[in-house]
Amino acid sequence: MIRRTLLAAACLLAAQAADAGAIDKLHQFLESTRTVRADFAQTVVAKNGRQAQTSSGVMMFSRPDKFRWQIKKPYSQLLVGDGEKVWIHDPELRQVTVRNTGTAIGGTPAALLAGGDSAIERNFTLREAGDHDGLEWLEAIPKVQDSGFEKVRLGFANKDLMAMELFDSLGQTTLLRFAHLERNPPLAPSLFRFVPPANTDVIGE
C-alpha cells in the first residue's frame, strides 16, 4: 500500500489563478505547468485512527508521465517514472519493481496530474469540496471500481497545490503536505531515468 500511495502521489502539484475554483485551478495547472519540484511530508493514518507511519523527501515531475519521488526519512526509497516504465527501488531489500506506465497510473490518482485533461474526465468525477484549514479543496472520485481508492482530495492556497489526501478502499488515509514548491523549474532528463544497480533483483513487467 505504501508503494501505491507513493505512485498515486508521485506526479502532483501546483495550480494558479486565486479567483478560480479548485476544479478550474486543476485544469489551469495542466495547461500551464510542465515541471514541478517540491519537498513533501507524508502521514499515513490507519482505519482505527492510529498514525501508521510518517515519511519525508523530495518529489519532481515532468509532464507527461515522468516523475521522481525520493523518500529520504525514515528510510530510503525511490520511485521513478520514465514515461514508459515505473521503477520502485528499495535499497534495503536490494529490490526493484517495474511496471508499465499505463498499467501503473492509468486508473490511479496519479492520472489526475500525470495525464492530460481527457484522462481526468475519463477516470474521475470532480466536484468542489469547499474551504477548510485555510485551503480550497477539490474532490476526485474514481470512475473505475478497482482503482484501490475511494476518493482523492486536493487542497489549494492561491496558485499552489499545498495538500493532497488519499482515501483508500481499506479505510486508510494518506495525508501529503508540500513545501518549497517550484513550478516549471529546469529538471535534467537524467532525473527521470533509472538503471537498476548491480546485485539487485528486478521484479515485474
Side-chain angles (χ1 to χ4, degrees):
M1 187 57 65
I2 294 173
R3 289 178 174 177
R4 177 181 290 175
T5 298
L6 292 178
L7 189 59
C11 297
L12 309 177
L13 304 186
Q16 65 179 10
D19 59 343
I23 292 176
D24 288 337
K25 290 180 179 180
L26 176 61
H27 286 293
Q28 289 164 358
F29 157 78
L30 293 172
E31 295 172 358
S32 64
T33 304
R34 296 291 106 188
T35 63
V36 163
R37 183 191 185 282
D39 297 333
F40 71 86
Q42 175 177 291
T43 302
V44 179
V45 180
K47 185 176 182 179
N48 60 11
R50 292 184 178 180
Q51 181 173 311
Q53 64 179 45
T54 60
S55 59
S56 62
V58 178
M59 75 86 63
M60 304 172 219
F61 72 81
S62 178
R63 296 184 61 237
D65 298 333
K66 295 182 180 180
F67 51 86
R68 183 182 182 91
W69 190 273
Q70 175 72 68
I71 288 182
K72 296 184 176 181
K73 297 179 180 179
Y75 55 85
S76 178
Q77 191 174 44
L78 175 65
L79 187 147
V80 176
D82 62 13
E84 296 182 358
K85 302 284 187 180
V86 175
W87 306 83
I88 303 169
H89 180 214
D90 191 321
E92 184 175 341
L93 297 178
R94 294 185 179 180
Q95 179 177 296
V96 173
T97 302
V98 58
R99 300 176 64 187
N100 289 323
T101 294
T103 303
I105 71 173
T108 73
L112 278 169
L113 301 179
D117 288 315
S118 61
I120 292 177
E121 303 299 339
R122 182 173 63 251
N123 294 315
F124 297 92
T125 299
L126 305 179
R127 65 186 184 191
E128 301 287 344
D131 300 341
H132 68 87
D133 296 333
L135 300 178
E136 186 176 6
W137 291 86
L138 156 73
E139 190 169 272
I141 300 174
K143 292 181 179 180
V144 295
Q145 298 298 315
D146 59 350
S147 68
F149 290 86
E150 293 185 355
K151 64 180 177 181
V152 183
R153 288 163 53 86
L154 305 175
F156 296 91
N158 296 321
K159 66 178 182 179
D160 293 328
L161 177 71
M162 301 303 296
M164 187 175 190
E165 299 178 351
L166 311 173
F167 301 82
D168 70 27
S169 55
L170 300 177
Q172 182 172 267
T173 303
T174 300
L175 310 174
L176 288 156
R177 297 296 182 266
F178 305 107
H180 309 118
L181 184 147
E182 300 175 65
R183 297 179 68 244
N184 295 316
L187 297 176
S190 60
L191 291 169
F192 307 104
R193 291 194 292 265
F194 182 81
V195 177
N199 302 315
T200 299
D201 292 329
V202 179
I203 301 170
E205 301 168 350

